[in-house]
Amino acid sequence: MAGSKLSRRTRIKKGIRKHLTGTTERPRLTVFRSNKAIYAQVIDDTTGKTLASASSISKEFATTGNKVDQSKAVGTMVAEKAKAAGVEKVVFDRNGYLYHGRIKSLAEGAREGGLDF
């Protein structure tokens, strides 16, 4: 039973990525969360390059509070970095996680930061 959650998420992730790719016009905003931190990257899949990234354990991250508040701050931070790189529109890749809690909070923070998806 220990690997069932991970295998379920991997199966969902493969199904999502089958239909979702990041282009130069609309790169992919992907999310990874662990028990302690949350990470976000804006990736152009055609060139295979990361255009912007942010995490709750980076040095420039200074928000305290619960994990949902930290996720929203990470979303805002990645939106600012993406806009500085010239990205306005993205495709949101929830990476197999359910769209609630920290994932939803990160998405809302990215929208408030100016990303369109």
Side-chain angles (χ1 to χ4, degrees):
M1 290 301 280
S4 63
K5 281 189 177 181
L6 181 62
S7 62
R8 178 179 182 273
R9 187 179 76 82
T10 305
R11 183 174 43 83
I12 292 170
K13 178 181 172 178
K14 286 181 182 178
I16 291 170
R17 288 296 308 278
K18 199 183 310 181
H19 303 287
L20 185 83
T21 57
T23 61
T24 306
E25 296 83 29
R26 285 182 78 109
R28 180 170 52 99
L29 171 63
T30 186
V31 177
F32 175 76
R33 69 173 173 84
S34 66
N35 288 336
K36 294 184 178 182
I38 191 156
Y39 309 86
Q41 289 184 329
V42 178
I43 303 169
D44 181 4
D45 287 325
T46 56
T47 60
K49 294 193 177 190
T50 300
L51 305 173
S53 65
S55 70
S56 61
I57 61 170
S58 64
K59 291 182 180 179
E60 64 262 7
F61 186 76
T63 303
T64 58
N66 60 14
K67 292 178 187 175
V68 175
D69 295 338
Q70 291 178 0
S71 299
K72 192 167 193 173
V74 168
T76 306
M77 189 186 327
V78 77
E80 290 171 359
K81 289 183 178 183
K83 289 186 78 163
V87 176
E88 295 288 328
K89 295 183 177 186
V90 294
V91 178
F92 187 66
D93 178 12
R94 58 188 175 91
N95 209 7
Y97 299 109
L98 296 178
Y99 187 80
H100 74 97
R102 292 194 281 163
I103 304 298
K104 183 177 179 181
S105 177
L106 188 138
E108 290 172 354
R111 284 189 185 109
E112 288 177 7
L115 287 181
D116 181 29
F117 58 92

